[in-house]
Amino acid sequence: AVRPFNEIPGQWKNSVANLYTFWKMDGLRNIHRIMVHNFNMYGPIYREKVGYYESVNIIKPEDAAVLFKAEGHYPKRLRVEAWTSYRDYRNRKYGVLLKDGEDWKSNRIVLNKEVISPKVQGNFVPLLDEVGHDFVARVYKKIERSGQNEWTTDLSHELFKYALEYAQHFIDCITLMFKTTSPMLYFPPALLRHTGSKIWKDHVEAWDGIFNQADRCIQSIYRQLRKNPEDGEKYPGVLASLLMLDKLSIEDIKASITELMAGGVDTTSITLLWTLYELARHPDLQEEIRAEISAARIASQGDTVEMLKMVPLLKGALKETLRLHPVAVSLQRYITEDIVLQNYHIPAGTLVQLGLYAMGRDHRIFPHPEQYRPSRWVRSQSHYFRGLSFGFGPRQCLGRRIAETEMQLFLIHMLENFRFEKKRQVEVRSTFELILLPEKPIMLTIKPL
Ligand code: HEM
Ligand code: 2DC
């Protein structure tokens, strides 16, 4: 018989005490490791209540499949109150990230066509290819200046700038925005706002900076479009193509453009940094991927879109990076119908979280999970509900295609020019600042081939 909801194991009876324990364990920075610990203690399903935030947590691919079948027509994930509070406070519209229901769906359908449909990939390949090329030139200059024919560095600053070449202030604001969001997952922002707390003030300042920069960027694209309307035949760039959409209100477009600009910096930079870190620790694998790239370069005869179809191991490396170092610690959905998970009844309306970080490191799901093995994504094993780093279904990451293309092209350019080494073999762990980040700088040595 199916067991009742109230019998699911876990700490969900005393939410205040849980918040206290959580705080003492420095839970915020360690959410991902606490989840692993909970799955070890309670098994593949547990219920949890921390402060006002209650959820059922799962880890198995089979359960993920059941979860996503019950997400309904308007999939809804955990609402990040800090982000909606800021917009309510400043009277700004929500973009796709924060909208729900029919309003989300209608905006998302229009944006999908410009951002994530397979037919637009060819549009941004040349732009991203050029950015990758420029990055290589910058690295050569640094190597030259070092006078040692190599450059040992924490690449994160360069990488953050690489992400679409935004101003440093904008980048700093995004980092501050993420950092100040995580405490507000557990303490209601409304409370912090009315007590004049520093977290809330910093958060507002961060979003103000992001919105100002985005507004300026939008203005300048507008001016450009008005000045040279005859440029219409040429692809004007992702943002400009969104601004030309006439199916959404200009306020809706601005809201989603701002989210795309903010969502596209830290996510891809960190994933690239982790990938170079893993490749530096696995020189033979690095060589194998380099060989795959050379062969693809020759076979594709200068057609970059074709080339991207011939690098399965490189793509596997990115998937493998996100398995061990996911950006999102979990995926979440409010289920719209009753379901059964691990033989427990889960009522409609429950917030169910799939522990992505924990799943990526579970040996029952990925044999030898501690090993970085891109080939596991190319051959062998089933990938059934395993490659979920960008989420799933109609609510998955809107920036996915851009992110994947940008990261593939970056790695192609870098591996064609440089060898990556690690002088000291140190294990770098993740820390949670809304997204998962390396807890300390990753030092790499870059040498021309
Ligand atoms: C949503 C991961 C890069 C914009 C998401 C979600 C995940 C994710 C897990 C939630 C999906 C779900 O609930 O099913 C990642 C990863 C990235 C990345 C791993 C890179 C390595 C980007 C980039 C952009 C972006 C480059 C913008 C250009 C968004 C937006 C949403 C989203 C707008 C919300 C979509 C919606 O609610 O409809 N991302 N992301 N992301 N991401 Fe990304
Ligand atoms: C954080 O418990 C942990 O892609 C929470 O590009 C649950 C949660 C909810 C939403 C997730 C968030 C976590 C991590 C960061 C995500 C976010 C949805 C979108 C966002 C995954 C797992 C991200 C990084 C977007 C951000 C765009 C934004 C800043 C404009």
Side-chain angles (χ1 to χ4, degrees):
V2 173
R3 286 180 285 177
F5 190 52
N6 281 343
E7 283 177 18
I8 302 177
Q11 291 280 333
W12 50 271
K13 284 184 182 139
N14 191 340
S15 64
V16 178
N18 292 340
L19 187 57
Y20 179 72
T21 331
F22 190 75
W23 212 247
K24 254 193 4 203
M25 288 175 73
D26 198 11
L28 265 185
R29 298 177 155 276
N30 287 310
I31 283 185
H32 47 306
R33 277 183 287 272
I34 290 182
M35 286 180 88
V36 171
H37 171 264
N38 285 340
F39 284 118
N40 285 336
M41 188 148 88
Y42 298 119
I45 187 166
Y46 68 90
R47 211 173 138 185
E48 177 186 57
K49 191 167 180 189
V50 183
Y52 65 99
Y53 175 8
E54 187 172 2
S55 63
V56 166
N57 292 265
I58 56 172
I59 188 170
K60 294 200 163 172
E62 308 87 84
D63 292 338
V66 176
L67 165 64
F68 288 115
K69 266 187 208 108
E71 68 174 6
H73 292 299
Y74 308 116
K76 201 172 157 225
R77 73 172 81 84
L78 180 84
R79 180 184 163 99
V80 180
E81 300 279 348
W83 298 351
T84 53
S85 295
Y86 169 82
R87 284 152 181 82
D88 298 346
Y89 175 62
R90 286 283 193 238
N91 247 315
R92 290 193 177 265
K93 286 205 100 170
Y94 297 177
V96 263
L97 174 74
L98 300 172
K99 283 179 189 290
D100 277 311
E102 186 50 51
D103 190 25
W104 165 76
K105 185 98 195 169
S106 57
N107 276 253
R108 174 84 199 214
I109 285 174
V110 175
L111 294 171
N112 279 347
K113 275 196 213 108
E114 301 302 318
V115 183
I116 197 173
S117 90
K119 76 168 207 310
V120 297
Q121 196 198 30
N123 288 337
F124 45 76
V125 161
L127 298 170
L128 295 170
D129 199 29
E130 199 180 308
V131 187
H133 190 84
D134 293 349
F135 194 91
V136 166
R138 273 222 297 279
V139 175
Y140 271 125
K141 253 191 219 138
K142 296 274 189 185
I143 293 175
E144 215 170 278
R145 254 182 252 157
S146 77
Q148 293 174 312
N149 205 35
E150 63 172 46
W151 182 37
T152 300
T153 181
D154 166 19
L155 257 188
S156 59
H157 293 284
E158 305 291 324
L159 280 167
F160 277 57
K161 263 191 233 155
Y162 165 74
L164 306 167
E165 306 207 305
Y166 294 133
Q168 189 59 48
H169 179 64
F170 182 67
I171 294 166
D172 295 341
C173 285
I174 297 171
T175 307
L176 181 64
M177 180 275 291
F178 279 128
K179 202 187 170 86
T180 51
T181 302
S182 58
M184 288 194 267
L185 284 176
Y186 300 95
F187 284 123
L191 200 80
L192 295 175
R193 179 178 147 192
H194 293 296
T195 54
S197 92
K198 177 156 162 52
I199 295 268
W200 170 256
K201 282 187 191 145
D202 285 351
H203 193 67
V204 168
E205 196 182 301
W207 274 121
D208 282 347
I210 294 168
F211 273 94
N212 280 339
Q213 181 76 29
D215 283 344
R216 253 182 308 200
C217 173
I218 291 166
Q219 288 299 326
S220 111
I221 297 174
Y222 257 131
R223 244 174 282 133
Q224 208 81 37
L225 287 176
R226 254 195 317 249
K227 234 183 8 208
N228 309 317
E230 68 279 11
D231 278 5
E233 307 98 65
K234 197 171 111 240
Y235 182 70
V238 184
L239 299 185
S241 73
L242 290 176
L243 282 174
M244 292 192 294
L245 285 176
D246 46 15
K247 293 183 197 77
L248 295 181
S249 76
I250 184 67
E251 289 310 313
D252 274 343
I253 294 175
K254 278 188 181 171
S256 285
I257 285 189
T258 308
E259 291 173 357
L260 283 169
M261 287 177 67
V265 178
D266 301 40
T267 48
T268 51
S269 318
I270 289 302
T271 307
L272 285 171
L273 191 59
W274 281 123
T275 306
L276 293 177
Y277 163 80
E278 293 293 357
L279 295 182
R281 301 204 302 167
H282 301 89
D284 294 346
L285 173 66
Q286 185 181 141
E287 215 42 67
E288 202 183 329
I289 296 179
R290 190 172 284 119
E292 179 187 76
I293 293 171
S294 303
R297 175 71 75 195
I298 293 164
S300 60
Q301 300 180 311
D303 181 337
T304 312
V305 178
E306 275 309 301
M307 185 177 177
L308 292 180
K309 294 179 189 155
M310 302 172 186
V311 286
L313 197 61
L314 175 68
K315 290 178 182 173
L318 283 165
K319 285 193 188 140
E320 192 67 346
T321 300
L322 286 166
R323 174 179 71 79
L324 285 168
H325 315 284
V327 170
V329 62
S330 72
L331 303 176
Q332 333 79 43
R333 292 292 185 266
Y334 288 92
I335 51 171
T336 57
E337 53 189 284
D338 289 18
I339 55 176
V340 173
L341 293 170
Q342 293 298 312
N343 208 33
Y344 288 103
H345 173 86
I346 319 286
T350 304
L351 176 66
V352 180
Q353 293 209 75
L354 170 68
L356 260 194
Y357 177 91
M359 176 173 150
R361 285 164 184 259
D362 191 304
H363 65 93
R364 281 151 295 195
I365 304 169
F366 296 97
H368 302 288
E370 71 291 348
Q371 292 176 12
Y372 185 82
R373 256 187 6 216
S375 63
R376 72 170 91 226
W377 297 99
V378 183
R379 308 164 214 123
S380 65
Q381 65 160 259
S382 154
H383 304 149
Y384 183 71
F385 282 90
R386 278 170 176 76
L388 294 172
S389 311
F390 289 94
F392 178 84
R395 188 109 217 196
Q396 69 179 279
C397 177
L398 176 61
R400 178 176 192 159
R401 282 280 118 68
I402 297 178
E404 287 173 339
T405 313
E406 177 189 326
M407 295 191 296
Q408 289 158 15
L409 286 170
F410 173 91
L411 290 171
I412 287 175
H413 281 288
M414 291 295 269
L415 291 170
E416 281 181 323
N417 287 278
F418 309 110
R419 179 166 291 117
F420 296 85
E421 291 172 9
K422 190 117 192 43
K423 289 246 160 96
R424 254 168 293 138
Q425 294 287 341
V426 276
E427 196 65 36
V428 182
R429 306 203 305 168
S430 296
T431 183
F432 176 81
E433 290 190 3
L434 199 84
I435 55 176
L436 290 171
L437 301 174
E439 73 176 349
K440 57 182 176 216
I442 294 179
M443 298 302 286
L444 296 172
T445 301
I446 311 175
K447 296 181 176 170
L449 284 178

